[in-house]
Amino acid sequence: ADNRYEATEQITITLTNATGSVILAGSPLTTVTFTLTNDDAKPKFAFSTPSSNEDEGTEEEDIVVVVEETGGDVGLEVVVAWGLTNGSTADADHASATEGNLTFSEGETSEQISYTSEDDALHEGDESFDLNLTSYGDNGSSGSQTSHEHTINDDDDQPLVGFSLTEMNKDEDHG
């Protein structure tokens, strides 16, 4: 027994070349086919955490998607599709694709979605985007955490705004 979601397997055993006083009977008795039908659950895919955050301008970061222990192990290749939706971010705030695929091969337990947040000089407050796992092909299923919110922490100072003079006098005729 295993916990690996896999295709049905067949084994055919054929008796041939009898020796001594053994006589092989006709066709149905000399060949048998044994079928192993998969009874394991499809693997379940989820984000390893519901949220994360990094300072803007951080080098490439990875958000991890895992195979949950509540499902089966990966036995057949699984392509997990994901999508990014800007919350308070704009595309210019991060260097990341807005959709993609993660391919899990037999035995793999995690893959990463990579992104880079762009550094700027604008004080704009923290910004966030959402990642969602959107499909699992025929060989996978959704796990418990299929969405992930990522926050880009603003690291820019608030701008100073003020007057350069405290008082200014002009005659009416001078505009």
Side-chain angles (χ1 to χ4, degrees):
D2 63 20
N3 193 36
R4 185 174 46 246
Y5 183 77
E6 55 199 344
T8 297
E9 301 167 294
Q10 287 189 331
I11 301 170
T12 300
I13 301 171
T14 303
L15 301 175
T16 61
N17 299 326
T19 59
S21 61
V22 175
I23 300 173
L24 295 176
S27 176
L29 300 176
T30 59
T31 301
V32 64
T33 300
F34 183 73
T35 302
L36 296 171
T37 304
N38 181 59
D39 62 352
D40 299 306
K42 291 180 179 182
K44 294 181 179 181
F45 297 90
F47 287 100
S48 61
T49 61
S51 63
S52 58
N53 66 76
E54 295 292 336
D55 290 337
E56 69 180 7
T58 302
E59 298 281 326
E60 183 174 279
E61 293 293 324
D62 293 326
I63 297 173
V64 180
V65 175
V66 298
V67 178
E68 289 187 326
E69 291 181 12
T70 58
D73 296 333
V74 177
L76 299 172
E77 182 177 274
V78 180
V79 176
V80 177
W82 60 270
L84 180 149
T85 304
N86 285 317
S88 55
T89 59
D91 288 345
D93 293 322
H94 52 82
S96 177
T98 56
E99 61 184 23
N101 293 316
L102 301 173
T103 301
F104 287 79
S105 298
E106 182 175 356
E108 287 187 312
T109 58
S110 68
E111 289 287 336
Q112 296 80 34
I113 299 171
S114 298
Y115 82 97
T116 301
S117 64
E118 297 296 331
D119 199 7
D120 60 28
L122 301 173
H123 176 71
E124 57 210 341
D126 296 345
E127 300 172 299
S128 64
F129 60 83
D130 296 313
L131 291 167
N132 292 289
L133 302 179
T134 57
S135 69
Y136 313 91
D138 294 333
N139 301 324
S141 61
S142 64
S144 62
Q145 186 66 48
T146 59
S147 62
H148 179 93
E149 180 182 44
H150 184 77
T151 301
I152 301 171
N153 301 318
D154 184 35
D155 64 355
D156 300 308
D157 294 328
Q158 218 170 358
L160 298 175
V161 178
F163 295 103
S164 60
L165 301 173
T166 58
E167 188 175 314
M168 187 162 89
N169 294 312
K170 290 279 186 181
D171 288 338
E172 226 177 271
D173 295 343
H174 291 95

